[in-house]
Amino acid sequence: MIGRPLPTADAPHQTIGVLIGLAVFASDALSSTAYATQEMLVILMVLGPQAYQYVFPLAIAIVILLGIVTLSYEQTVHAYPNGGGAYIVTRDNIGALPSKVAAAALLTDYILTVAVSISSGVAQIVSAIPSLFEYRVWIAVGLVAFIMVVNLRGIKESGKTFAIPTYFFIITMFVTVLVGLGRYLFGTLGVVTDPPPLEILHTTYGVGAFLILRAFASGTAALTGIEAIADGIPAFREPRSKNAGTTLIIMSLILGSLMLSISFLSAHIQAVPSEAETVISQLARTAFNGRGGLYGAVIIATTVILIMAANTSFADFPRLSAITATDGLLPRQLTYRGSRLVYSRGIVLLALLATLLIVVFQASVTRLIPLYAVGVFLSFTLSQAGMAHRWWKIGKLKEGQELRERGSVLRYDPNWLLKMVINGFGAFCTGVVMIVFAATKFVDGAWVVIVIIPTLVVIFSGIQRHYHHLAAKLSLENYGGLPQIGRHRVIIPIGGVHRGTLAALRYARTLSDDITAVHVSLDPQEADRVRQKWETWGDGRRLVILESPYRLFIEPLLEYINEIEALRQPNEIITIVVPEFVPRHWWASLLHTQTALTLRMALLFHKDIVITSVPYQVD
Amino acid sequence: MIGRPLPTADAPHQTIGVLIGLAVFASDALSSTAYATQEMLVILMVLGPQAYQYVFPLAIAIVILLGIVTLSYEQTVHAYPNGGGAYIVTRDNIGALPSKVAAAALLTDYILTVAVSISSGVAQIVSAIPSLFEYRVWIAVGLVAFIMVVNLRGIKESGKTFAIPTYFFIITMFVTVLVGLGRYLFGTLGVVTDPPPLEILHTTYGVGAFLILRAFASGTAALTGIEAIADGIPAFREPRSKNAGTTLIIMSLILGSLMLSISFLSAHIQAVPSEAETVISQLARTAFNGRGGLYGAVIIATTVILIMAANTSFADFPRLSAITATDGLLPRQLTYRGSRLVYSRGIVLLALLATLLIVVFQASVTRLIPLYAVGVFLSFTLSQAGMAHRWWKIGKLKEGQELRERGSVLRYDPNWLLKMVINGFGAFCTGVVMIVFAATKFVDGAWVVIVIIPTLVVIFSGIQRHYHHLAAKLSLENYGGLPQIGRHRVIIPIGGVHRGTLAALRYARTLSDDITAVHVSLDPQEADRVRQKWETWGDGRRLVILESPYRLFIEPLLEYINEIEALRQPNEIITIVVPEFVPRHWWASLLHTQTALTLRMALLFHKDIVITSVPYQVD
């Protein structure tokens, strides 16, 4: 959004340092701590109280994965100082088809980020004000609409505006877990009082590797958003790769410690996963002994950072759409900004799709999560694999040699082998997680994404083929030019003889001397009137009356045009000049036959027929 | 539909006699016996078993009302040999505003006829096959769609096609009631076995005048459709008024006797009103001792005649729309037929509105009935009052004198006073029924119609005002003509230089020598390429490059056009020639900027700017 401008839109003095960078880019990643632990518990609770013993070990596994991904992305940040999103890295290092897969995965991921973050934000609100529970879908839809409007208007805040809520969240969460841990050490932290009704996703599984893997897969939602910094490097102050890398590492440290401490405490207080009250809410009121001011601060901070995470997608989705549209994978219109200097079409599209998801899944994080992380880990895997291949290419270079690719410049690096191993290991781990996720969540909804991603790839390829085909057809290579136009015939369909008709006739006279007015007659008396008036006002031009006993209007006209067309010489062009009223009020245009539009549709595939409407403003 | 053609569409040899006339016009009226008795029972059942004693007396009252309306309409049939629908009679005899009220009442009535008849037809199907109950809304929507498609394709059957189902219905119903009455006389007709669960509309009312009036009002639904013959007189063989009058009387006799006998028997067998099984179904299986072949015949006949009744509206609604559109109350487009020689727009509009009603009211006849008869009785009242006034005017004429009005010719009649009293009494009775209906059904839904009818009248008046205003503004009275065009400037917005651009340039050359190509540049390299290519291919015409650093497309173009417009001399005209691809597949047009359309919208209110798109067919 703000921190990641396109070169044409922003001047370089708006770059940011580590402190502000953390505020701008961390909301998406940090906000996932608000639901990751809870979603693990939803799966584990089928085991009863035994569940709590698995939460912390799983959190440790997730934090190890976080470490591997962070190390891997740290290398991307240095390799792509102009931005190394998964699409660009895959496109430059693996190939066209995998890059389409990456684009499809990322676009679905952005949509899901909005749906999941907003749903989780609403769940926080509902935890504090339970009476809003039955309106949660409406609140979520309203929030999406609000973010859409804000983004359509264009956001003019600086990165500093982001600093306040992000640091507010970091501070309140650290206060909460520190108070919790302190009370735990002094032995005064009890279990959660008056817990909400338990909800679990399945009741049919016993304990076993599958259950643990499913819980782990849910927990990996904590890693979503970590790739944001790699996309946004150009926003950083020089040395930007170094600044971005530092920011990434700090963000991961915060994320990891929050994930560990929230999971540890949630297990200890025996928090209950529920749609009615979030685990964060239970943790905060247990740590602070009730719903006081500090509790309120945690809920507000969590809600706000979740909304900000959704907002991030409203910058990323249109931007990636524009990049892929420039490469011809999506309609070209997505590369244009609207009058408020934002990619309005992409913003509206994202809001509509996210709203659809929220309504279908009833704003339930638990029901949305199975769709979420497949796309994220797919893009992680492709991006890291692309990086590994890039190191391989670098290993082949000679010292001092440079290889310029579309997204970055490759220079020899003596440590290429180690770095290739790091990225390769990252790709391997995230790839394994992706497969675990897809397998364990398949029936719960992951299949939807597994269907959508290839479908999108097919659509991308179809669009790209269309543009290539068109470019070939329109090319001026070996083109002899068109023959000169010999004769220009003008046809004016008229409903009556009035000022609008005369305006069209006047215009037609500047086109050609060969003018024919055509009246479709539903009523012989009306036809006589038209004929008489035309004698006075028609400037001596031909008038053809087409009888229409069956009260047809457009068909006799088309028949006449087809006749003229059949008799036409080569090099002869036909223009149909349609008089058209422009009423003062938009609704009044419903009261007029849209003759020009209808003719345009009907004659679309006829060569050398042009339809012009001459507007006549009625005031 | 078939029996009531417009003069331009059908030749006179297709006229019909009494037998076929009954088949064509009776379906709407006769089909209402399928639900009228049941809807009385729904109201009365609050009284418990006592309810049954009121059914037959109420049926007698309704049949008396039927007699009065029939007598009154018989006079209309003779007065308006060219068709005397409520709209025409009101327009010619009362005035413009009441005729708008009549049109509004009739149009809502047609929509409701479709919704009620189809819902009742589905209720018959569900009675025979209870497992379909939960799909009733879908079945009803499907039937409406089916009738719409049939009507859009255009019906080519003769009136004879109608004879089979109508007479099949008449015969099966008479067999049913005669068997029922016979068994009653021999004392072998018991009560209905295994009745469906009782459903009643309200439980809060005790017995009293209000309850009886509400039941009576529900029963008057039996009279709907009786006006059909008055609309359709031109379809009859000469002497057409006499034939139509005879048909009307026969129809009323059948309707009256069915209403009386169905009500009598339903009370005797203690039929239970229910959404799950209709009273007709209960009556048939009691009379025939179970769900055998005769029972099946009754259900099929009833369902088919209800569907035919809905079909009647699909002829009436578009036809009345066309008549009122000719009078300028509705958009003019409704007066044109589509390529299948039917009023396609009216047919689609009716299907959409009826579907909306069916979905909102969940295909429940009981919930739709309160909306139904207000409009019907309002148009009855206006039509009869119009007739009474017509007799008054006739009484003022001298013997042998003729007064020609738009819809009929007035001649002196010595019995004018008696006839005026008959029509006046008809108007009075139907007016009272309308008020009773509106008052007793107000909260159940009649208020909807009481809101819609005035709203429609306001819309009609607005549309009429618009057309009058437009005609005055476009009039050539005292019109001095437009100044000659002095200079014709042509602007061609180009995205690149290719075959499509050259086709547009070639066309532009026939318009004027003053041509400027304009390229909006998002990318300086692209702009250089355009400039170079234009030097080769641009025929020496001006090329203007508009820099757009913020990736805007349409805004810089509009700005440029506005500048040119501001510098323009009087008598100068600007044509914007937009090259436009015509891809082979419709979906591909989503991949191209609709520049012409966008410009046309943006420049709608600018005088003397014409936008032309030059299609370039890519194959």
Side-chain angles (χ1 to χ4, degrees):
Chain A
M1 192 164 22
I2 288 208
R4 288 169 260 172
L6 281 172
T8 44
D10 277 53
H13 70 267
Q14 286 176 328
T15 55
I16 54 181
V18 173
L19 261 182
I20 300 294
L22 190 61
V24 169
F25 293 110
S27 65
D28 190 1
L30 296 185
S31 69
S32 42
T33 57
Y35 46 83
T37 304
Q38 173 161 352
E39 295 308 319
M40 287 198 287
L41 273 171
V42 170
I43 306 291
L44 291 170
M45 283 309 280
V46 70
L47 304 172
Q50 219 196 334
Y52 295 113
Q53 74 190 61
Y54 295 99
V55 177
F56 191 59
L58 282 175
I60 293 174
I62 287 162
V63 171
I64 291 172
L65 184 64
L66 171 67
I68 295 167
V69 172
T70 304
L71 218 68
S72 196
Y73 260 106
E74 222 274 326
Q75 299 194 152
T76 308
V77 165
H78 285 92
Y80 283 85
N82 294 316
Y87 173 70
I88 291 171
V89 175
T90 311
R91 184 191 66 192
D92 285 6
N93 297 298
I94 313 195
L97 187 66
S99 78
K100 285 174 194 163
V101 175
L106 285 165
L107 290 173
T108 48
D109 173 32
Y110 292 139
I111 301 165
L112 281 157
T113 298
V114 175
V116 169
S117 301
I118 291 295
S119 297
S120 180
V122 172
Q124 311 299 335
I125 298 173
V126 166
S127 301
I129 313 167
S131 59
L132 294 178
F133 182 72
E134 60 175 310
Y135 307 109
R136 63 197 187 286
V137 176
W138 294 113
I139 299 172
V141 170
L143 280 174
V144 173
F146 169 74
I147 300 175
M148 180 188 80
V149 170
V150 167
N151 278 278
L152 284 178
R153 292 181 58 91
I155 307 184
K156 293 272 162 280
E157 303 93 356
S158 69
K160 280 168 193 156
T161 327
F162 278 69
I164 300 162
T166 306
Y167 285 108
F168 181 56
F169 174 77
I170 293 172
I171 291 164
T172 50
M173 285 312 288
F174 272 110
V175 168
T176 310
V177 298
L178 288 175
V179 167
L181 290 171
R183 293 186 58 193
Y184 168 76
L185 290 174
F186 290 102
T188 64
L189 186 69
V191 300
V192 66
T193 55
D194 191 17
L198 169 67
E199 279 157 36
I200 48 180
L201 200 56
H202 295 277
T203 49
T204 47
Y205 296 106
V207 67
F210 192 71
L211 183 83
I212 301 297
L213 283 177
R214 292 181 75 235
F216 171 74
S218 283
T220 58
L223 267 68
T224 58
I226 197 169
E227 74 288 0
I229 291 178
D231 292 348
I233 311 158
F236 281 89
R237 191 173 301 145
E238 291 288 358
R240 52 190 181 188
S241 285
K242 190 167 166 297
N243 282 327
T246 312
T247 311
L248 174 66
I249 289 165
I250 296 174
M251 180 178 84
S252 292
L253 290 174
I254 297 173
L255 176 58
S257 42
L258 281 182
M259 183 70 199
L260 286 175
S261 48
I262 292 173
S263 297
F264 179 80
L265 290 168
S266 299
H268 181 78
I269 65 162
Q270 301 187 6
V272 169
S274 164
E275 298 267 300
E277 188 184 1
T278 62
V279 164
I280 294 289
S281 168
Q282 295 172 53
L283 176 60
R285 69 182 167 88
T286 307
F288 300 132
N289 274 329
R291 298 177 190 254
L294 279 168
Y295 168 82
V298 171
I299 294 294
I300 291 172
T302 313
T303 308
V304 170
I305 201 146
L306 283 161
I307 292 172
M308 280 172 55
N311 192 42
T312 311
S313 283
F314 274 87
D316 291 338
F317 181 91
R319 199 168 46 92
L320 181 61
S321 303
I323 293 174
T324 49
T326 308
D327 288 354
L329 305 188
L330 280 175
R332 289 264 163 86
Q333 294 95 300
L334 292 169
T335 63
Y336 306 131
R337 293 187 195 228
S339 55
R340 305 279 311 185
L341 294 181
V342 294
Y343 295 110
S344 337
R345 294 177 186 85
I347 290 171
V348 172
L349 188 63
L350 174 61
L352 288 178
L353 294 171
T355 302
L356 182 71
L357 278 177
I358 288 172
V359 171
V360 169
F361 291 91
Q362 291 290 297
S364 160
V365 177
T366 302
R367 291 171 62 191
L368 282 164
I369 280 288
L371 282 73
Y372 197 10
V374 175
V376 178
F377 278 88
L378 180 52
S379 66
F380 281 170
T381 309
L382 286 169
S383 157
Q384 302 319 313
M387 282 300 294
H389 186 241
R390 190 172 180 277
W391 294 120
W392 174 255
K393 289 190 287 185
I394 282 177
K396 300 266 181 198
L397 291 178
K398 295 197 189 80
E399 195 128 1
Q401 196 184 349
E402 272 191 3
L403 181 62
R404 195 168 288 274
E405 290 187 343
R406 280 177 70 190
S408 68
V409 182
L410 280 63
R411 287 184 200 82
Y412 181 75
D413 184 324
N415 297 323
W416 68 270
L417 192 60
L418 173 69
K419 291 182 171 178
M420 187 177 84
V421 169
I422 291 175
N423 279 129
F425 184 64
F428 173 77
C429 293
T430 51
V432 168
V433 170
M434 178 189 72
I435 291 163
V436 166
F437 197 102
T440 59
K441 303 279 183 185
F442 190 80
V443 289
D444 294 336
W447 67 269
V448 175
V449 175
I450 294 170
V451 168
I452 284 179
I453 290 177
T455 310
L456 278 177
V457 171
V458 169
I459 292 174
F460 292 159
S461 303
I463 292 175
Q464 204 174 31
R465 233 181 355 258
H466 168 80
Y467 283 130
H468 283 166
H469 173 81
L470 188 70
K473 284 284 173 185
L474 290 178
S475 162
L476 295 174
E477 298 265 334
N478 305 319
Y479 182 57
L482 287 164
Q484 285 299 311
I485 294 173
R487 183 182 178 195
H488 193 166
R489 296 189 73 139
V490 177
I491 297 171
I492 316 178
I494 60 172
V497 182
H498 48 62
R499 296 186 185 194
T501 322
L502 297 189
L505 175 61
R506 164 177 172 255
Y507 181 78
R509 283 207 308 254
T510 74
L511 305 190
S512 170
D513 285 327
D514 185 347
I515 298 173
T516 311
V518 179
H519 174 69
V520 177
S521 159
L522 305 187
D523 171 4
Q525 291 176 358
E526 177 67 23
D528 284 343
R529 236 170 334 199
V530 167
R531 199 177 282 119
Q532 280 163 25
K533 280 198 190 171
W534 190 256
E535 264 171 37
T536 315
W537 294 96
D539 193 32
R541 309 292 168 156
R542 257 192 310 278
L543 171 68
V544 172
I545 307 265
L546 303 173
E547 298 292 336
S548 176
Y550 293 98
R551 303 194 138 263
L552 298 170
F553 175 68
I554 208 81
E555 289 79 2
L557 196 56
L558 282 175
E559 212 171 285
Y560 176 78
I561 292 167
N562 286 337
E563 269 169 37
I564 296 286
E565 198 187 352
L567 295 171
R568 177 172 64 169
Q569 304 295 316
N571 301 345
E572 195 177 311
I573 204 160
I574 300 173
T575 296
I576 300 164
V577 173
V578 184
E580 205 161 61
F581 309 123
V582 182
R584 275 172 307 174
H585 307 290
W586 68 265
W587 55 264
S589 61
L590 298 175
L591 304 178
H592 298 283
T593 331
Q594 305 298 319
T595 312
L597 193 64
T598 318
L599 286 176
R600 213 168 272 131
M601 309 260 273
L603 298 172
L604 207 53
F605 293 100
H606 294 239
K607 279 209 159 68
D608 288 338
I609 296 191
V610 173
I611 291 125
T612 300
S613 52
V614 177
Y616 184 81
Q617 286 84 1
V618 181
D619 29 44
Chain B
M1 195 161 22
I2 287 206
R4 287 169 261 172
L6 281 174
T8 42
D10 277 53
H13 70 268
Q14 287 176 327
T15 55
I16 53 179
V18 173
L19 262 181
I20 300 294
L22 191 62
V24 170
F25 293 112
S27 65
D28 190 1
L30 295 185
S31 69
S32 41
T33 57
Y35 46 83
T37 304
Q38 174 162 352
E39 294 308 319
M40 287 200 287
L41 273 170
V42 170
I43 306 291
L44 291 170
M45 283 309 280
V46 70
L47 303 172
Q50 221 196 331
Y52 296 114
Q53 73 190 63
Y54 295 101
V55 177
F56 191 58
L58 281 174
I60 295 174
I62 286 161
V63 170
I64 292 172
L65 183 64
L66 170 65
I68 295 166
V69 172
T70 304
L71 219 67
S72 197
Y73 259 106
E74 222 276 326
Q75 301 195 148
T76 309
V77 165
H78 284 93
Y80 283 85
N82 295 317
Y87 173 69
I88 290 171
V89 174
T90 311
R91 184 191 68 191
D92 285 5
N93 297 296
I94 314 194
L97 187 66
S99 76
K100 284 174 194 161
V101 175
L106 285 165
L107 291 173
T108 47
D109 174 31
Y110 292 139
I111 300 164
L112 281 157
T113 299
V114 176
V116 169
S117 301
I118 292 295
S119 298
S120 180
V122 172
Q124 311 299 335
I125 298 173
V126 166
S127 301
I129 312 166
S131 59
L132 294 177
F133 183 74
E134 62 175 308
Y135 307 109
R136 63 196 187 285
V137 176
W138 293 112
I139 299 171
V141 170
L143 281 174
V144 172
F146 171 73
I147 301 175
M148 181 189 80
V149 170
V150 167
N151 278 278
L152 283 178
R153 292 182 58 90
I155 309 185
K156 292 272 165 281
E157 300 95 357
S158 70
K160 280 169 194 154
T161 327
F162 278 70
I164 300 163
T166 307
Y167 285 108
F168 181 56
F169 174 75
I170 294 173
I171 291 166
T172 51
M173 285 311 287
F174 271 111
V175 168
T176 310
V177 298
L178 286 176
V179 168
L181 290 172
R183 292 186 59 191
Y184 169 77
L185 289 174
F186 288 102
T188 64
L189 186 71
V191 300
V192 65
T193 55
D194 191 17
L198 169 68
E199 279 158 35
I200 49 179
L201 200 57
H202 296 277
T203 48
T204 48
Y205 297 106
V207 68
F210 190 71
L211 183 81
I212 301 298
L213 283 176
R214 292 181 75 234
F216 170 74
S218 283
T220 58
L223 268 68
T224 57
I226 196 168
E227 73 288 358
I229 291 178
D231 293 348
I233 311 158
F236 281 88
R237 193 173 298 147
E238 291 288 358
R240 54 190 179 188
S241 286
K242 192 168 162 296
N243 281 328
T246 312
T247 310
L248 174 66
I249 289 166
I250 295 173
M251 179 177 86
S252 291
L253 289 174
I254 297 172
L255 177 58
S257 41
L258 282 181
M259 183 70 199
L260 287 176
S261 47
I262 291 172
S263 297
F264 178 80
L265 290 169
S266 300
H268 181 79
I269 65 163
Q270 301 189 8
V272 169
S274 165
E275 299 264 302
E277 187 184 2
T278 62
V279 165
I280 294 288
S281 167
Q282 295 172 51
L283 177 59
R285 71 182 165 86
T286 309
F288 301 131
N289 275 329
R291 298 177 191 252
L294 280 168
Y295 168 83
V298 171
I299 294 295
I300 291 171
T302 312
T303 308
V304 170
I305 201 147
L306 283 161
I307 292 172
M308 281 173 55
N311 191 42
T312 311
S313 284
F314 274 87
D316 291 337
F317 181 91
R319 199 166 46 90
L320 182 61
S321 303
I323 293 175
T324 48
T326 308
D327 287 354
L329 306 187
L330 280 175
R332 290 263 163 87
Q333 294 96 295
L334 292 169
T335 64
Y336 306 131
R337 293 188 195 227
S339 55
R340 304 279 311 184
L341 293 182
V342 294
Y343 295 110
S344 340
R345 293 177 186 85
I347 290 171
V348 172
L349 187 64
L350 174 62
L352 288 178
L353 293 170
T355 301
L356 182 73
L357 279 177
I358 288 172
V359 171
V360 169
F361 291 92
Q362 291 289 297
S364 161
V365 177
T366 302
R367 291 170 63 190
L368 282 164
I369 281 287
L371 282 73
Y372 196 12
V374 175
V376 178
F377 279 88
L378 180 53
S379 66
F380 281 170
T381 309
L382 286 168
S383 155
Q384 303 317 311
M387 281 300 294
H389 186 243
R390 190 172 179 276
W391 294 120
W392 175 255
K393 289 189 285 185
I394 282 176
K396 299 269 183 196
L397 293 177
K398 293 198 193 80
E399 193 125 4
Q401 198 183 348
E402 274 192 2
L403 182 61
R404 196 169 287 274
E405 289 186 343
R406 280 177 71 191
S408 68
V409 182
L410 281 64
R411 286 185 200 83
Y412 181 75
D413 185 322
N415 296 323
W416 68 270
L417 192 60
L418 173 68
K419 291 181 171 177
M420 186 177 85
V421 169
I422 291 173
N423 280 128
F425 185 64
F428 172 77
C429 292
T430 50
V432 168
V433 171
M434 178 190 72
I435 291 163
V436 167
F437 197 103
T440 59
K441 304 279 181 183
F442 190 81
V443 288
D444 293 336
W447 67 268
V448 176
V449 174
I450 293 170
V451 169
I452 284 178
I453 290 178
T455 310
L456 278 177
V457 170
V458 169
I459 292 173
F460 292 159
S461 303
I463 291 175
Q464 203 173 33
R465 234 184 353 261
H466 168 79
Y467 283 129
H468 283 166
H469 172 81
L470 188 70
K473 284 283 176 187
L474 291 178
S475 165
L476 295 174
E477 299 264 336
N478 306 318
Y479 182 58
L482 287 164
Q484 285 300 311
I485 294 171
R487 183 182 177 193
H488 193 163
R489 296 189 74 140
V490 176
I491 296 171
I492 315 179
I494 59 172
V497 182
H498 49 61
R499 296 187 185 196
T501 321
L502 297 190
L505 175 61
R506 164 177 173 256
Y507 180 79
R509 283 205 308 253
T510 75
L511 305 189
S512 170
D513 286 326
D514 186 346
I515 298 173
T516 312
V518 179
H519 174 70
V520 177
S521 156
L522 305 188
D523 172 2
Q525 290 175 358
E526 176 67 23
D528 284 343
R529 231 165 336 185
V530 167
R531 200 178 282 117
Q532 279 163 24
K533 281 198 189 170
W534 190 256
E535 263 171 38
T536 317
W537 294 96
D539 193 31
R541 309 291 168 157
R542 256 192 311 275
L543 171 68
V544 173
I545 306 264
L546 304 174
E547 299 292 336
S548 176
Y550 295 99
R551 303 193 138 262
L552 298 170
F553 174 68
I554 207 79
E555 290 79 3
L557 195 56
L558 281 175
E559 212 172 286
Y560 175 77
I561 293 167
N562 287 336
E563 266 170 39
I564 296 286
E565 198 188 354
L567 295 172
R568 175 171 66 169
Q569 303 295 314
N571 301 346
E572 196 176 313
I573 203 159
I574 300 172
T575 296
I576 299 163
V577 173
V578 185
E580 205 161 62
F581 309 123
V582 181
R584 276 171 307 175
H585 307 290
W586 68 266
W587 57 263
S589 62
L590 297 176
L591 305 178
H592 297 283
T593 331
Q594 305 300 315
T595 313
L597 192 65
T598 318
L599 286 176
R600 213 168 271 130
M601 309 261 274
L603 297 172
L604 207 53
F605 293 98
H606 293 239
K607 278 209 158 68
D608 289 336
I609 296 192
V610 172
I611 292 124
T612 299
S613 52
V614 177
Y616 184 81
Q617 286 82 2
V618 182
D619 30 44

